[in-house]
Amino acid sequence: MKSAVAITSKIHLNLNLNLRRNHLYSPLSRSIFRGKAKPVFQSPPLIRTHSSNPNPNPIMASSFKPEQARAPPALPLPTPPVTKFKVGLCQLSVTADKERNIAHARRAIEEAAEKGAKLIILPEIWNSPYSNDSFPVYAEDIDAGGDASPSTAMLSEVARLLKITIVGGSIPERSGDRLYNTCCVFGSDGKLIAKHRKIHLFDIDIPGKITFIESKSLTAGETPTIVDTDVGRIGIGICYDIRFQELAMIYGARGAHLICYPGAFNMTTGPLHWELLQRARATDNQLYVATCSPARDEGAGYVAWGHSTLVGPFGEVLATTEHAEDIIIAEIDYSILELRRTSLPLSKQRRGDLYQLVDIQRLNSQ
């Protein structure tokens, strides 16, 4: 399906540790609190209950305190509104003509809906070339809507007319004097139901390969985004967000059925990490992961890897494509989630006595 990629030189990917958003999530090791210091979140006392399905070693299981590995405790997986449905991943070509990009995206959405897709996902930065110079020029005032945001106005209208849910990739957003890389989610009534601003900005330097500093023009978002839709509970990340497993873990603990990552990986990191990261996020959290990339344009200043993909909760690639324009239609079956979680009961095997992921936003809202 994919051609082999020969790596002939050692590549150093400079991932700045400062990009981790410690005010949004905090992985704690309980072993460091054996002295005088105390954790920022004190979990409630463990309540032991009797089970009709006893563990072979209940004393050991109790001492592991799996329910305390997430703070606040993980939410149960909600019953989704539908069990099976089709998703459409629209891998679009992007040009410098914004009006053309909007019309082209609309046609792709309509085609995916005609093929039965109830959830449609667009790529990262689908209405604009991907460059720091282009972001200010193509940016839209999403909150103002209407003529101030023709891209989201189109998404709202087509979602309402076709009665579908749209994860609208991302576009440059202008809010006051700041720019964001923003994904809008529209419900089947055409209403904006979520807006995710890219939390982890794409600032990398791989000598001799690629340097891109997104923070030269964009501001990082401040909020994880999870939304209940007609096709289940969906967590949203944008491209570089996929590298940070803490965000996906938060979505898993909040009961997500699916995480959508519009993304435009490049020709250096794409062959190495794109599929790997999707499968890792799906496997670790036992949920579906869907990604949507722009199609590859060899003549562009930034060349996307492509390969939009749907991954199942066992880390299996359910559908993918190569680098050209394409519309992938695939089925999501949420009944598989419980099956996989029963086969591998990770949530019951976590060591809350040793580590804990703190969802700071949920904790502060209590």
Side-chain angles (χ1 to χ4, degrees):
M1 181 170 58
K2 298 182 175 64
S3 58
V5 179
I7 306 300
T8 57
S9 62
K10 187 174 181 181
I11 294 177
H12 298 277
L13 178 58
N14 297 327
L15 294 175
N16 188 339
L17 293 179
N18 291 328
L19 292 174
R20 294 197 182 275
R21 309 302 301 277
N22 290 336
H23 65 295
L24 300 180
Y25 46 74
S26 176
L28 300 179
S29 171
R30 289 191 177 278
S31 62
I32 66 174
F33 300 121
R34 290 173 182 164
K36 295 182 179 180
K38 295 182 179 180
V40 296
F41 175 79
Q42 185 63 47
S43 299
L46 178 65
I47 301 174
R48 292 177 172 81
T49 59
H50 295 287
S51 171
S52 59
N53 216 355
N55 187 290
N57 194 341
I59 296 176
M60 182 177 291
S62 299
S63 65
F64 288 169
K65 302 180 181 180
E67 74 285 353
Q68 295 185 25
R70 299 289 182 267
L75 299 175
L77 190 69
T79 301
V82 293
T83 301
K84 291 183 181 181
F85 65 94
K86 290 182 179 179
V87 60
L89 311 177
C90 298
Q91 185 164 290
L92 304 175
S93 63
V94 179
T95 71
D97 185 339
K98 185 176 182 179
E99 289 186 5
R100 175 266 177 201
N101 294 336
I102 295 173
H104 188 59
R106 179 171 188 141
R107 287 192 295 270
I109 293 169
E110 291 169 343
E111 181 178 340
E114 286 175 5
K115 294 178 178 179
K118 292 299 181 184
L119 170 66
I120 295 175
I121 307 171
L122 297 186
E124 180 184 24
I125 306 294
W126 57 268
N127 72 343
S128 160
Y130 191 91
S131 74
N132 280 313
D133 291 337
S134 297
F135 296 152
V137 177
Y138 289 76
E140 300 182 5
D141 186 341
I142 294 171
D143 291 339
D147 292 340
S149 185
S151 300
T152 60
M154 180 276 289
L155 295 178
S156 173
E157 181 182 46
V158 74
R160 176 179 56 81
L161 292 174
L162 299 178
K163 294 181 171 52
I164 55 174
T165 301
I166 297 177
V167 174
S170 77
I171 64 171
E173 178 196 9
R174 185 180 301 280
S175 180
D177 60 353
R178 294 185 175 184
L179 299 177
Y180 299 92
N181 186 341
T182 301
C183 174
C184 293
V185 182
F186 291 90
S188 55
D189 58 0
K191 293 182 180 179
L192 178 65
I193 55 176
K195 185 170 74 171
H196 178 78
R197 290 169 169 168
K198 188 174 186 177
I199 291 175
H200 306 92
L201 295 182
F202 179 55
D203 289 2
I204 71 166
D205 178 16
I206 303 176
K209 297 289 183 179
I210 181 173
T211 299
F212 200 101
I213 309 299
E214 210 171 31
S215 61
K216 282 185 176 180
S217 60
L218 301 178
T219 299
E222 295 293 331
T223 309
T225 305
I226 190 164
V227 57
D228 287 316
T229 75
D230 289 345
V231 291
R233 184 168 293 176
I234 300 176
I236 304 293
I238 299 175
C239 199
Y240 206 55
D241 285 339
I242 199 172
R243 289 192 177 275
F244 298 86
Q245 67 268 36
E246 297 94 338
L247 181 61
M249 291 161 67
I250 283 175
Y251 290 153
R254 292 186 186 187
H257 301 103
L258 164 70
I259 305 178
C260 295
Y261 293 101
F265 268 48
N266 56 75
M267 297 298 292
T268 299
T269 60
L272 288 168
H273 301 151
W274 179 236
E275 182 181 299
L276 173 70
L277 288 167
Q278 296 172 62
R279 297 181 69 186
R281 299 294 85 85
T283 304
D284 289 348
N285 298 287
Q286 298 180 305
L287 42 66
Y288 283 89
V289 166
T291 62
C292 192
S293 168
R296 189 180 307 168
D297 178 0
E298 299 284 1
Y302 181 93
V303 182
W305 171 240
H307 297 261
S308 302
T309 301
L310 176 68
V311 179
F314 237 30
E316 70 275 35
V317 175
L318 299 174
T320 190
T321 188
E322 296 293 330
H323 63 268
E325 272 210 335
D326 201 358
I327 298 174
I328 305 168
I329 305 296
E331 184 176 75
I332 287 178
D333 182 356
Y334 286 146
S335 68
I336 300 297
L337 295 177
E338 289 294 350
L339 176 64
R340 298 309 189 202
R341 295 178 185 203
T342 300
S343 300
L344 286 175
L346 303 183
S347 64
K348 299 177 183 178
Q349 297 169 332
R350 293 193 174 102
R351 297 294 303 271
D353 59 323
L354 299 179
Y355 50 73
Q356 183 181 69
L357 178 77
V358 180
D359 183 340
I360 294 174
Q361 185 185 50
R362 272 186 69 206
L363 188 64
N364 289 341
S365 68
Q366 291 187 339

